[in-house]
Amino acid sequence: MVLVISHSFRILPPSSLVHQQKTKKIYESQCCVFPVTQISPFLRKGLTSSGGGEAIRTRICASVADISLDVSVEENKLPKGETWSVHKFGGTCVGSSLRIKNVADIIINDDSERKMVVVSAMSKVTDMMYDLIDKAQSRDESYISLLGAVLQKHSSTAHELLDGDDLASVLSRLHHDISNLKAMLRAIYIAGHATESFTDFVVGHGELWSAQMLASVIRKSGIDCKWMDTRDVLIVNPTSSNQVDPDFLETNRRLEKWYSLNPCSVIIATGFIASTPQSIPTTLKRDGSDFSAAIMGALFRARQVTIWTDVDGVYSADPRKVNEAVILKTLSYQEAWEMSYFGANVLHPRTIIPVMRYGIPIIIRNVFNLSATGTKICHPSVNGDEDRQNFRYFVKGFATIDNLALINVEGTGMAGVPGTASAIFGAVKDAGANVIMISQASSEHSVCFAVPEKEVKAVAEALQSRFRQALDAGRLSQVQVIPNCSILAAVGRKMASTPGVSATLFNALAKANVNVRAIAQGCSEYNITVVVKREESIKALRAAHSRFYLSRTTIAMGIIGPGLIGSTLLEQLRDQAAVLKEEFNIDLRVMGIIGSKSMLLNDVGIDLSGWKELREEKAEVANLEKFVQHVHENHFIPNTVLVDCTADSIIAGHYYDWLRKGIHVITPNKKANSGPLNQYLRLRALQRQSYTHYFYEATVGAGLPIISTLRGLLETGDRILQIEGIFSGTLSYIFNNFKDGRTFSEVVAEAKEAGYTEPDPRDDLSGTDVARKVIILARESGLKLELSDVPVESLVPVPLRVSASAQDFMQQLPKFDQDFAKKQLDAEDAGEVLRYVGVVDMIKQKGMVELRRYRKDHPFAQLSGSDNIIAFSTRRYKNQPLIVRGPGAGAQVTAGGVFSDILRLASYLGAPS
């Protein structure tokens, strides 16, 4: 028999139904329950006073005769609902006296009617308490000095926060606790061992001290505030998996009892610690304070639970790995759950369960940045204001787990055999390993799964042992271990059922040259998981995040050679960057600029409006290896392009290695494509095998679409018969103006003065540059020619080819004007003009560079200035060649050609066409 008793009582016979109904609410909520054997004296007294004989059915209840007592009891009943808000402050938030004052201000300024505040120990204190245990059971006497440091930390904090009776009370409790801890640690020291219960008791003291200090600070402001030792209230049942399950019924009963004795508007509760049903102190394990806050939020049916931390909210990816990760405004409970599981610094999955049951939102906020609204974790709204056409609506974030290994069990004997998977994972369980991800093909030929790398050896041995007979018989072909893996998880609501999301993810990984080893996608539609090489983990994370969260196409650029063409390109990029980003969703970031002596690097992108000044102020010694590493690896952008604006063969020699690393290359430098044939073929083969792009339109016609036109003809099945053209803007200018009695040397001097020639005009007049262009076109057309296979008619007189300097050459050139004049006059008499051309003859399988004569009605004779012209004679364009004509020299058009290749790369990487 159980009886209910309160401070004053009288016996009510069961027939007093009206009285019982009147007081039912009071005694069910406020009265204490005792076994009848403990109150027999009161029972006997009641029977005598009532004169009744129904002792078994008699109740002892709060008297309603004393109206003031009844009112007091009614007032002390625990109110529940949206009048309560729950706050949780982590160790960083209460890490010093100044921060504790800041927390107190946040609580005081919260306009909620009632507040439940859960606090962690001061930062580093929990680690110090665990260290105390480790030192004591290792019989390391330094635990004594460490305990002194713990005392000093809290004592000095209390002195900075409190004074008078409040200070005396906190210090008294602190010294009492330290004394008890000292005795317990001494016992552990002697035994050389600490039980789990002893450990939990010791480490939980940090929360007790921080809660008391915070409550005292708030009381100084005149607010009705009490502190709660949650070991008296929160009851949990330990499980076999190093976790605990809250006993909500018993905890609720104890909470109501605690509140009836301690009614107040602000409760400061200890996080992390609890008790077992046997009243043995325990903890909620790591991240336990968040769990405490969620449990309290559920018990109070609070309006919301705010988790205060030192970040502005939940990021779309780890900001330490992805610089441009963004704060998410909202997350569903399931999305937060998934991101937590995959290592995102959100909440422990179990923290979400209590509040999700009642639809209580969790707000993640920054205690050091109150202006940030944080991230709200709640049920998704039916009519959200987000753009449902934007993939961000479906993909909220990305997370990675590193240091994993894949285990692949495969064999034809697995298909259709019941129990195989059970046997596999039974062996894994026996090895004590945790399976992170499972992937199985529908053919049942193989099962692969990911486990922590530290556990893979034990798992592999367990599987080898379990399936030894099947392996020997050939029913299983192998138990393969693939080490050095990482998991990338994309998390979002309903993304798996949204067309295009998976394709976008895998396309982003492919274009970042990341190979996927395994894939898993649950039917819950909340995550897509892929396994990649560990060294590619960050690149994969950046690629996926960039594709969904940055501009549709974000490219990191490194400019090599800020000379005339390079600097002009930088000016063009500067002028167009904003337009490209706003109108075409192309974000071009110049991460570095390198010259022959110095380089300028920036982690987020150089401000091109003042790059020259920045280069003078912040330049460092040029180091090509460091430059490439910076542009490619040390930032958040997965797509990297190096733009070589030099004419350096050494720089061109690096293209193969750059492409192999997944770096795109764009260049007007002719050296790579006209260099040794074997190197060219190796370069092109690599380009065709990968998603890495190598563009070089400007190597032949500056800004003219020569290479792309040739490729278009070949790719559509046309057959090239001959390519003939004036490929040198310099020589085009010279022969367009070599007329009307002007001397050759005079025109060359004029071209040099106008900047059309190289500093030494012999570099143009030798024809080598034209020969390189001929070789490039010949190789593009399928001819395997070396530069030495192309005969070149040099315009440099033989005696001047060894002149000491360009100045000497220009002084001696007039001596040979008569020879050039004779050629010009002969052509004039025949109604023709002189033109210096390059020719690719596909029928005769050869190339040549020479001075030719053309009739005055020929397209080549119609040129002016420094224009280039190229004629494609093909099977389709046999009678009337396809002509491409336009400016073929000058920094503006060459830089424009390079810029065009950059935009073509952006298009290949996903920019809108």
Side-chain angles (χ1 to χ4, degrees), residues 700-742:
V700 175
L704 297 179
I706 307 302
I707 300 291
S708 55
T709 298
L710 175 57
R711 282 189 174 180
L713 292 170
L714 293 171
E715 289 169 1
T716 57
D718 202 352
R719 180 186 173 195
I720 305 298
L721 303 177
Q722 178 176 280
I723 303 171
E724 183 180 15
I726 298 173
F727 296 106
S728 170
T730 302
L731 295 174
S732 175
Y733 179 88
I734 289 172
F735 284 100
N736 287 337
N737 289 278
F738 183 35
K739 59 186 179 180
D740 300 330
R742 302 186 68 187

XYZ file of all heavy atoms in Angstrom, residues 700-742:
328
model
N 48.625 30.392 -82.617
C 48.728 30.504 -84.076
C 48.251 31.849 -84.593
O 48.979 32.535 -85.307
C 47.950 29.363 -84.770
C 47.964 29.551 -86.291
C 48.555 28.017 -84.412
N 47.058 32.241 -84.236
C 46.510 33.455 -84.835
C 46.166 34.528 -83.833
O 45.254 35.319 -84.096
N 46.872 34.561 -82.706
C 46.572 35.526 -81.641
C 45.114 35.355 -81.230
O 44.749 34.328 -80.663
C 46.890 36.949 -82.080
N 44.264 36.330 -81.560
C 42.869 36.221 -81.176
C 41.984 35.588 -82.224
O 40.778 35.445 -82.032
N 42.548 35.182 -83.376
C 41.737 34.592 -84.440
C 41.425 33.120 -84.136
O 42.277 32.402 -83.603
C 42.472 34.682 -85.778
C 42.754 36.094 -86.302
C 43.517 36.010 -87.626
C 41.444 36.855 -86.489
N 40.241 32.649 -84.499
C 39.846 31.258 -84.201
C 40.413 30.269 -85.214
O 39.674 29.666 -85.997
C 38.320 31.319 -84.266
C 38.030 32.395 -85.268
C 39.122 33.419 -85.083
N 41.715 30.114 -85.205
C 42.353 29.227 -86.185
C 42.285 27.772 -85.715
O 41.819 26.886 -86.439
C 43.819 29.635 -86.419
C 43.919 31.120 -86.793
C 44.432 28.739 -87.485
C 43.149 31.495 -88.013
N 42.771 27.512 -84.509
C 42.785 26.144 -83.976
C 41.362 25.596 -83.877
O 41.095 24.455 -84.266
C 43.465 26.104 -82.595
C 44.927 26.596 -82.687
C 43.403 24.706 -81.992
C 45.840 25.677 -83.430
N 40.453 26.413 -83.350
C 39.080 25.934 -83.173
C 38.402 25.663 -84.508
O 37.620 24.718 -84.634
C 38.263 26.940 -82.360
O 38.303 28.228 -82.959
N 38.706 26.475 -85.517
C 38.136 26.236 -86.854
C 38.655 24.925 -87.421
O 37.887 24.114 -87.964
C 38.491 27.395 -87.803
O 37.929 28.609 -87.303
C 37.971 27.130 -89.199
N 39.971 24.702 -87.292
C 40.562 23.466 -87.786
C 39.954 22.253 -87.082
O 39.594 21.257 -87.721
C 42.082 23.510 -87.587
C 42.861 22.242 -87.930
C 42.614 21.830 -89.382
C 44.351 22.444 -87.678
N 39.800 22.340 -85.763
C 39.227 21.219 -85.022
C 37.772 20.979 -85.421
O 37.335 19.828 -85.532
C 39.296 21.503 -83.516
C 40.671 21.266 -82.936
C 40.621 21.337 -81.434
N 41.891 20.969 -80.840
C 42.124 20.951 -79.535
N 41.158 21.324 -78.696
N 43.291 20.601 -79.057
N 37.039 22.075 -85.625
C 35.651 21.922 -86.037
C 35.527 21.191 -87.353
O 34.648 20.338 -87.541
N 36.418 21.500 -88.307
C 36.410 20.821 -89.598
C 36.711 19.334 -89.432
O 36.016 18.478 -89.994
C 37.428 21.471 -90.536
C 37.117 22.905 -90.993
C 38.322 23.504 -91.697
C 35.886 22.924 -91.898
N 37.747 19.028 -88.653
C 38.148 17.632 -88.477
C 37.109 16.826 -87.704
O 36.803 15.682 -88.060
C 39.502 17.569 -87.750
C 40.705 18.121 -88.520
C 41.924 18.213 -87.619
C 41.006 17.246 -89.738
N 36.563 17.417 -86.649
C 35.609 16.697 -85.805
C 34.295 16.420 -86.526
O 33.581 15.477 -86.172
C 35.366 17.470 -84.512
C 36.570 17.444 -83.570
C 36.436 18.428 -82.418
O 35.389 19.121 -82.340
O 37.369 18.507 -81.603
N 33.974 17.253 -87.533
C 32.731 17.021 -88.293
C 32.966 16.154 -89.519
O 32.072 15.994 -90.345
C 32.106 18.355 -88.727
O 33.050 19.102 -89.500
C 31.679 19.168 -87.521
N 34.173 15.607 -89.643
C 34.442 14.638 -90.703
C 34.997 15.197 -91.987
O 35.141 14.466 -92.974
N 35.329 16.487 -92.019
C 35.911 17.056 -93.231
C 37.368 16.591 -93.346
O 37.999 16.188 -92.359
C 35.840 18.580 -93.180
C 35.919 19.211 -94.563
O 36.175 18.485 -95.539
O 35.723 20.442 -94.647
N 37.905 16.670 -94.560
C 39.296 16.261 -94.799
C 40.091 17.473 -95.245
O 39.717 18.160 -96.193
C 39.344 15.182 -95.871
C 40.753 14.694 -96.169
C 40.740 13.741 -97.351
N 42.088 13.386 -97.764
C 42.389 12.805 -98.920
N 41.431 12.493 -99.767
N 43.638 12.525 -99.214
N 41.188 17.730 -94.545
C 42.035 18.889 -94.859
C 42.935 18.543 -96.055
O 43.628 17.517 -96.059
C 42.907 19.289 -93.651
C 42.034 19.524 -92.421
C 43.743 20.523 -93.984
C 41.048 20.644 -92.554
N 42.936 19.430 -97.052
C 43.825 19.266 -98.216
C 45.053 20.154 -98.070
O 46.182 19.698 -98.283
C 43.075 19.611 -99.502
C 41.793 18.799 -99.774
C 41.117 19.305 -101.042
C 42.123 17.318 -99.872
N 44.811 21.414 -97.712
C 45.929 22.342 -97.556
C 45.512 23.490 -96.634
O 44.381 23.937 -96.645
C 46.363 22.909 -98.906
C 47.499 23.917 -98.816
C 47.971 24.387 -100.164
O 48.737 23.716 -100.856
N 47.497 25.557 -100.585
N 46.483 23.912 -95.820
C 46.311 25.124 -95.017
C 47.408 26.079 -95.442
O 48.593 25.740 -95.396
C 46.420 24.834 -93.507
C 45.400 23.777 -93.073
C 46.210 26.119 -92.701
C 45.594 23.297 -91.644
N 46.994 27.241 -95.871
C 47.962 28.232 -96.340
C 47.616 29.560 -95.674
O 46.443 29.928 -95.586
C 47.869 28.361 -97.859
C 48.878 29.303 -98.475
C 48.711 29.376 -100.000
O 47.661 28.931 -100.509
O 49.634 29.884 -100.659
N 48.634 30.256 -95.178
C 48.285 31.490 -94.518
C 49.444 32.421 -94.260
O 50.618 32.029 -94.297
N 49.086 33.668 -94.025
C 50.040 34.672 -93.559
C 49.893 34.698 -92.044
O 48.916 35.241 -91.509
C 49.739 36.041 -94.189
C 49.892 35.948 -95.710
C 50.646 37.114 -93.615
C 49.449 37.202 -96.442
N 50.806 34.064 -91.352
C 50.682 33.816 -89.922
C 51.409 34.836 -89.062
O 51.256 34.822 -87.838
C 51.228 32.414 -89.584
C 50.447 31.303 -90.204
C 50.954 30.601 -91.294
C 49.200 30.953 -89.725
C 50.243 29.564 -91.872
C 48.480 29.919 -90.294
C 49.005 29.222 -91.381
N 52.217 35.669 -89.658
C 52.996 36.644 -88.892
C 52.427 38.037 -89.105
O 52.449 38.559 -90.230
C 54.471 36.606 -89.319
O 55.159 37.704 -88.752
N 51.930 38.636 -88.037
C 51.438 40.004 -88.125
C 52.544 40.964 -88.488
O 52.337 41.939 -89.220
N 53.758 40.677 -87.998
C 54.914 41.530 -88.298
C 55.231 41.507 -89.793
O 55.377 42.560 -90.446
C 56.138 41.046 -87.503
O 55.828 41.061 -86.119
C 57.352 41.908 -87.786
N 55.336 40.284 -90.348
C 55.688 40.163 -91.755
C 54.530 40.590 -92.652
O 54.747 41.041 -93.785
C 56.124 38.735 -92.060
C 57.416 38.316 -91.336
C 57.713 36.849 -91.560
C 58.589 39.175 -91.813
N 53.320 40.441 -92.157
C 52.166 40.945 -92.906
C 52.264 42.461 -93.039
O 52.083 43.019 -94.135
C 50.864 40.572 -92.201
O 49.752 41.145 -92.853
N 52.595 43.138 -91.947
C 52.736 44.594 -91.961
C 53.857 45.016 -92.919
O 53.703 45.961 -93.706
C 53.028 45.116 -90.557
C 53.216 46.608 -90.483
C 52.125 47.460 -90.297
C 54.489 47.182 -90.611
C 52.299 48.828 -90.245
C 54.665 48.549 -90.555
C 53.571 49.374 -90.366
O 53.741 50.738 -90.310
N 54.975 44.303 -92.825
C 56.128 44.678 -93.653
C 55.800 44.570 -95.139
O 56.052 45.499 -95.926
C 57.348 43.806 -93.285
C 57.875 44.200 -91.895
C 58.448 43.939 -94.344
C 58.963 43.279 -91.356
N 55.202 43.452 -95.567
C 54.968 43.283 -97.005
C 53.728 44.032 -97.488
O 53.604 44.326 -98.677
C 54.894 41.796 -97.350
C 56.248 41.153 -97.380
C 56.717 40.406 -96.299
C 57.086 41.332 -98.469
C 57.978 39.834 -96.316
C 58.360 40.764 -98.495
C 58.811 40.018 -97.409
N 52.811 44.356 -96.571
C 51.689 45.217 -96.971
C 52.154 46.641 -97.251
O 51.509 47.378 -98.006
C 50.612 45.244 -95.877
C 49.820 43.948 -95.810
O 49.757 43.205 -96.786
N 49.228 43.657 -94.658
N 53.276 47.033 -96.622
C 53.783 48.392 -96.784
C 55.025 48.469 -97.669
O 55.555 49.566 -97.885
C 54.094 48.985 -95.404
C 52.824 49.284 -94.610
O 52.193 50.323 -94.812
N 52.452 48.356 -93.723
N 55.509 47.325 -98.114
C 56.696 47.292 -98.970
C 56.246 47.517 -100.425
O 56.105 46.586 -101.222
C 57.411 45.954 -98.804
C 58.683 45.823 -99.590
C 59.542 46.922 -99.796
C 59.054 44.603 -100.130
C 60.704 46.788 -100.519
C 60.229 44.463 -100.854
C 61.050 45.556 -101.053
N 56.030 48.788 -100.750
C 55.523 49.147 -102.071
C 55.749 50.647 -102.312
O 56.259 51.349 -101.422
C 54.038 48.817 -102.179
C 53.174 49.520 -101.153
C 51.718 49.062 -101.203
C 50.871 49.761 -100.138
N 49.472 49.341 -100.176
N 55.371 51.085 -103.467
C 55.447 52.505 -103.810
C 56.855 53.072 -103.630
O 57.039 54.205 -103.170
C 54.470 53.332 -102.971
C 53.029 52.894 -103.174
O 52.723 52.408 -104.289
O 52.223 53.013 -102.223
N 57.860 52.274 -103.962
C 59.234 52.745 -103.951
C 59.895 52.762 -102.591
O 61.059 53.180 -102.475
N 59.198 52.314 -101.578
C 59.817 52.289 -100.238
C 60.823 51.144 -100.161
O 60.642 50.086 -100.766
C 58.743 52.133 -99.168
C 57.692 53.230 -99.185
C 56.747 53.097 -97.997
N 57.425 53.381 -96.745
C 56.885 53.213 -95.543
N 55.642 52.757 -95.458
N 57.561 53.504 -94.455
